[in-house]
Amino acid sequence: SILILGACGQIGTELTYALREKHGNEVVIASDIREGNEDLMNSGPFELLDATDYNALEEVVAYYEISEVYLMAAMLSATAEKFPMRAWNLNMNSLFNVLNLAKEKKIDKIFWPSSIAVFGPNTPADHTPQNTIMEPSTVYGISKQSGERWCNYYHQKFGVDVRSIRYPGLISHKTMPGGGTTDYAVEIYHKALSEGSYTCFLKKDTRLPMMFMDDAIRATLLLMRSKPENIKIRSSYNLAAMSFTPEEIAKSIKAWIPDFKISYKPDFRQEIADSWPSSIDDSQAQKDWGWQSNFDLEKTTKEMLSNLKE
Ligand code: VAH
């Protein structure tokens, strides 16, 4: 069966829904440090579990005969800047726990998310290549870059089947993001409907790589069912769908809500966003395992506003 760590998070919740849809509820075990929303808790097995506690994790893996683990528990970029050592501990020790379970042959396959946060201020910012300069300037980015190196090491040295994607900022109408720098791109839709206006914490021309959650989940499942011989990258794959600025997403909302007003009040997250690429080259994922995105900004805005209205 399958275990999701961090199943109550922005990605973890939707991954749990998708995996239960695909494999059946009873073989997909959701776990997190806290309980999740009603749909999640009522749709299948759940375990309260600290992903940094190896013994507790080993027990759950044995009890449910887990073969595949999705490690979605992490502290994201903005929060990690406030609690560097807690972020490092959570992001790294949870990864070592899962990698070591695979090395001991207690599980067969791992998905671990990286992020565009692995890139830094001197990385080429436009159509950032799969292999390039990576000097991340955030705690979160450092943990993701180091995590990528460890995933590649465990694959090369111990044959661990770990697969990874550098997610862009993700946008969902079913789940809220938690402590990220790209969270404005979700908040703006909620505020456009509830208040008709939004004060954005990034400057209007801050271009960032983004993706609608349906694309991110589909890519994850596609990568996890790809034949091992097709997976040439065991650090983490670049993945792309769209790039936009706060000004452009506001314009796409105005097409539906003409009176929508946006204002800008950059905070500490501006510096984090400025260190990241503005667009990503994902040609390697397209070539190796047939990736193609479905959602552009216009389609995303339509999906978000029509679903959030209900
Ligand atoms: C964050 N949403 O903002 C996450 C993600 C690329 C952004 O890593 O930290």
Side-chain angles (χ1 to χ4, degrees):
S1 23
I2 296 169
L3 174 64
I4 296 112
L5 298 170
C8 302
Q10 182 197 20
I11 311 173
T13 303
E14 296 227 34
L15 256 186
T16 304
Y17 295 156
L19 288 164
R20 284 179 170 166
E21 175 77 23
K22 183 164 184 241
H23 298 285
N25 291 349
E26 291 319 303
V27 294
V28 179
I29 318 311
S31 74
D32 206 307
I33 196 86
R34 57 180 169 80
E35 297 208 340
N37 69 42
E38 225 170 294
D39 292 355
L40 182 91
M41 300 303 285
N42 298 338
S43 63
F46 179 86
E47 290 288 339
L48 277 175
L49 180 58
D50 175 351
T52 64
D53 178 344
Y54 186 80
N55 295 331
L57 176 55
E58 201 180 23
E59 241 174 74
V60 168
V61 164
Y63 180 78
Y64 288 99
E65 297 173 355
I66 300 295
S67 58
E68 219 169 280
V69 174
Y70 290 74
L71 170 49
M72 309 313 286
M75 199 182 283
L76 296 187
S77 60
T79 312
E81 289 304 299
K82 294 176 190 162
F83 307 105
M85 287 305 112
R86 277 173 49 188
W88 181 260
N89 173 53
L90 170 58
N91 295 4
M92 301 316 292
N93 290 332
S94 58
L95 177 57
F96 286 129
N97 286 346
V98 175
L99 287 173
N100 286 327
L101 280 170
K103 181 181 164 213
E104 308 304 326
K105 309 277 183 247
K106 291 182 175 142
I107 56 175
D108 307 330
K109 206 189 261 187
I110 300 168
F111 178 78
W112 176 77
S114 182
S115 159
I116 57 165
V118 288
F119 300 116
N122 60 0
T123 302
D126 293 319
H127 294 100
T128 300
Q130 175 67 45
N131 297 304
T132 184
I133 301 162
M134 294 162 71
E135 296 179 357
S137 51
T138 63
V139 169
Y140 175 71
I142 294 165
S143 80
K144 289 301 182 183
Q145 182 186 32
S146 183
E148 289 191 7
R149 293 293 96 225
W150 280 110
C151 288
N152 192 59
Y153 182 87
Y154 267 69
H155 176 72
Q156 300 302 334
K157 291 274 185 231
F158 311 116
V160 168
D161 186 357
V162 51
R163 307 176 187 202
S164 180
I165 285 173
R166 289 169 182 160
Y167 288 127
L170 298 181
I171 299 169
S172 161
H173 49 77
K174 294 178 194 155
T175 59
M176 289 308 284
T181 299
T182 58
D183 298 4
Y184 90 88
V186 179
E187 291 166 8
I188 191 168
Y189 290 109
H190 290 265
K191 285 285 191 335
L193 289 166
S194 62
E195 297 173 25
S197 65
Y198 179 61
T199 302
C200 181
F201 55 72
L202 296 181
K203 283 188 217 145
K204 69 180 180 181
D205 59 353
T206 310
R207 183 172 300 283
L208 287 172
M210 297 280 188
M211 183 175 284
F212 187 56
M213 184 65 81
D214 290 17
D215 268 349
I217 299 299
R218 183 170 52 84
T220 307
L221 301 189
L222 179 60
L223 173 59
M224 287 298 274
R225 70 166 179 270
S226 296
K227 291 201 288 295
E229 56 270 25
N230 292 345
I231 301 176
K232 309 282 189 274
I233 303 284
R234 291 289 181 162
S235 49
S236 188
Y237 274 95
N238 278 7
L239 199 78
M242 53 185 158
S243 286
F244 56 72
T245 63
E247 195 174 31
E248 289 166 344
I249 187 173
K251 189 160 170 279
S252 79
I253 291 170
K254 281 183 193 140
W256 297 86
I257 307 173
D259 299 340
F260 174 62
K261 296 272 179 293
I262 184 166
S263 57
Y264 301 94
K265 203 159 168 282
D267 67 14
F268 76 100
R269 288 169 283 192
Q270 185 62 48
E271 191 183 349
I272 297 175
D274 289 341
S275 74
W276 292 347
S278 44
S279 63
I280 297 288
D281 170 2
D282 64 352
S283 46
Q284 180 108 36
Q286 295 182 31
K287 185 163 65 75
D288 291 359
W289 37 278
W291 164 244
Q292 280 302 332
S293 65
N294 277 343
F295 287 84
D296 60 11
L297 174 55
E298 206 177 323
K299 215 173 148 187
T300 299
T301 294
K302 185 167 182 287
E303 274 298 299
M304 287 295 284
L305 292 178
S306 50
N307 282 282
L308 289 176
K309 248 190 211 123
E310 278 151 31

